[in-house]
Structures are given as C-alpha cells and as structure tokens.
C-alpha cells in the first residue's frame, strides 16, 4: 500500500470516527465519572473491537452478514438491546465522579474491566461497523499486493485513530468533571443515556442496504 492511499484512509477514517458514536460517548462518560484509568480501559476495548471487526471483514464475515437477513437481524437487535441496557445503567448511575477517583485498587480494577467489556461489546454487537468496514475497506486494498498484510495495517491504523480521538473525549470529560456539580454530573449521565437510547432506536431501524 502506497503512502498516498494510506493518507487518504487516515483522513477518511478520522472524519467518520470523529462523529460521536456509542464508544465515544462511553469514553466521555468514563472520563468524567470514573477517571482516566477506567476510561483508558474502555478505549482499549474499543480499539480491540477495531482489530476484530477488520479481521472479520478480511475473513469474509462482513459479506456473510450482508447476505444473511436472519444473522443481520439477530446482531442488530442484540446491539440495540445492549445499547438500551447501557442507557438504563447510565440514567440510574449516581453522580459519583469525584469520589470514584479514590476508589480502592480492586474496585478500580473491576471498574476498568467492566469499561473494557462494555466498549468491546458495544462495538462488536453493532452490525453497522462490520457492514461499514466491508463496504469501505476494499476501496483501499490493492489485490496485487499481500491482502492479509494490508488488512493488518488498516486495522492497526484504525485502532490508533480510535484511541487518539476517544482519548480526547475522555480527557475533555475528565477536565469538565472538575467544574461540574453533582447535579451537573447526574445530567451528564442522563444526557449520555438519552443519546445511547437514541442510537439504539436508530440501530433498530437500520437496513443492510443503506451502505449500498
């Protein structure tokens, strides 16, 4: 893959990734209410999902999802249900951002593991990601070159872009937390919950042919 093609890919993925999605909202909320370390665990989960999804595309699973109405519907509704579950959790969450910075080590570790799994599952249970990569990535793949190496490179670049942008969201949320009252933190949680619920509804209405 030449440097021009790679640069175009970086620009295109950065533009798409900058649009706030579920994992970006989780990074923002984790940074504001649970601290940078927990947010970093969530970011790692989202980055791992990039590697898994692009690996799945390289193995042809994106084409399978596009071809199977039943599989697509199953994954779509599972993803929408999980987003609604997260929205409910955020809506009910107490405004404990400042206190969470002094959590015991074991509690903080459990919070980090939970954040990692939430971000990973949010990304993997959303069929839009797999379908997007299936439609988008082949435009940057040169068939005469090593296919697996190109997919690996694009997966790593995508993960790094995600890490950089989600870190900005998490750091912004962390610094904003210091200026927010408990009431404001509660409304931050509930605002993120409403957006996640809206994304769940949008996902439930999503159709496979919208990327065609």
């Amino acid at each position: 893959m030449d440097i021009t093609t790679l640069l175009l890919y970086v620009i295109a993925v950065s533009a798409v990734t900058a649009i706030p999605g579920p994992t970006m909202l989780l990074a923002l909320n984790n940074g504001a209410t649970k601290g940078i370390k927990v947010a970093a665990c969530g970011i790692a989960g989202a980055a791992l999902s990039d590697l898994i999804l692009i690996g799945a595309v390289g193995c042809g699973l994106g084409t399978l999802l596009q071809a199977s109405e039943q599989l697509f519907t199953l994954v779509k509704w599972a993803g929408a249900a999980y987003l609604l579950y997260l929205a409910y959790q955020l809506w009910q969450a107490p405004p404990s951002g400042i206190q969470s910075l002094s959590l015991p080590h074991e509690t903080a570790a459990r919070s980090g593991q939970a954040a990692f799994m939430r971000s990973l599952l949010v990304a993997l249970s959303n069929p839009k990601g797999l379908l997007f990569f299936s439609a988008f990535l082949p435009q940057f793949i040169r068939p005469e070159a090593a296919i697996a190496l190109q997919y690996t490179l694009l997966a790593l670049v995508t993960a790094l872009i995600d890490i950089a942008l989600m870190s900005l969201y998490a750091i912004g949320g962390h610094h904003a937390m210091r200026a927010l009252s408990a009431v404001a933190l509660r409304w931050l949680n509930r605002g993120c919950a409403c957006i996640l619920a809206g994304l769940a509804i949008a996902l439930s209405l999503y159709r496979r042919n919208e990327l065609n």
Side-chain angles (χ1 to χ4, degrees):
M1 178 178 295
D2 60 80
I3 190 64
T4 302
T5 302
L6 184 59
L7 181 59
L8 287 173
Y9 180 80
V10 169
I11 294 172
V13 170
S14 298
V16 172
T17 306
I19 301 172
T23 52
M24 292 291 178
L25 288 173
L26 289 177
L28 172 67
N29 189 265
N30 285 335
T33 62
K34 296 181 176 63
I36 293 297
K37 289 184 178 179
V38 173
C41 293
I43 291 170
L48 177 60
S49 75
D50 289 330
L51 302 181
I52 294 174
L53 287 175
I54 293 178
V57 170
C59 294
L61 292 183
T63 303
L64 176 62
L65 189 67
Q66 182 70 42
S68 173
E69 178 70 32
Q70 292 80 10
L71 180 60
F72 172 81
T73 301
L74 175 63
V75 175
K76 180 181 75 170
W77 285 106
Y82 190 60
L83 285 178
L84 286 175
Y85 169 71
L86 291 181
Y88 174 78
Q89 284 193 320
L90 284 180
W91 185 271
Q92 297 292 330
S96 57
I98 294 176
Q99 294 90 329
S100 69
L101 296 180
S102 57
L103 288 173
H105 176 73
E106 290 185 4
T107 303
R110 288 196 296 271
S111 296
Q113 292 169 1
F116 179 91
M117 290 306 300
R118 275 196 300 269
S119 294
L120 177 63
L121 291 176
V122 161
L124 293 182
S125 63
N126 186 347
K128 291 176 67 175
L130 192 56
L131 292 178
F132 170 76
F133 284 130
S134 296
F136 185 68
L137 288 178
Q139 302 175 54
F140 298 90
I141 298 295
R142 295 174 57 188
E144 71 276 9
I147 302 296
L149 182 60
Q150 292 180 81
Y151 272 111
T152 301
L153 176 60
L154 294 181
L156 291 174
V157 168
T158 304
L160 290 174
I161 292 171
D162 254 355
I163 289 171
L165 292 176
M166 282 188 288
S167 295
L168 292 178
Y169 275 78
I171 292 170
H174 180 69
H175 286 294
M177 176 205 68
R178 300 178 182 277
L180 295 178
S181 66
V183 173
L185 281 173
R186 182 183 297 278
W187 282 108
L188 173 64
N189 280 339
R190 292 187 171 182
C192 290
C194 289
I195 296 173
L196 285 176
L199 290 171
I201 294 171
L203 177 58
S204 70
L205 299 174
Y206 186 72
R207 297 293 180 267
R208 291 180 303 162
N209 59 1
E210 289 186 18
L211 285 176
N212 293 339

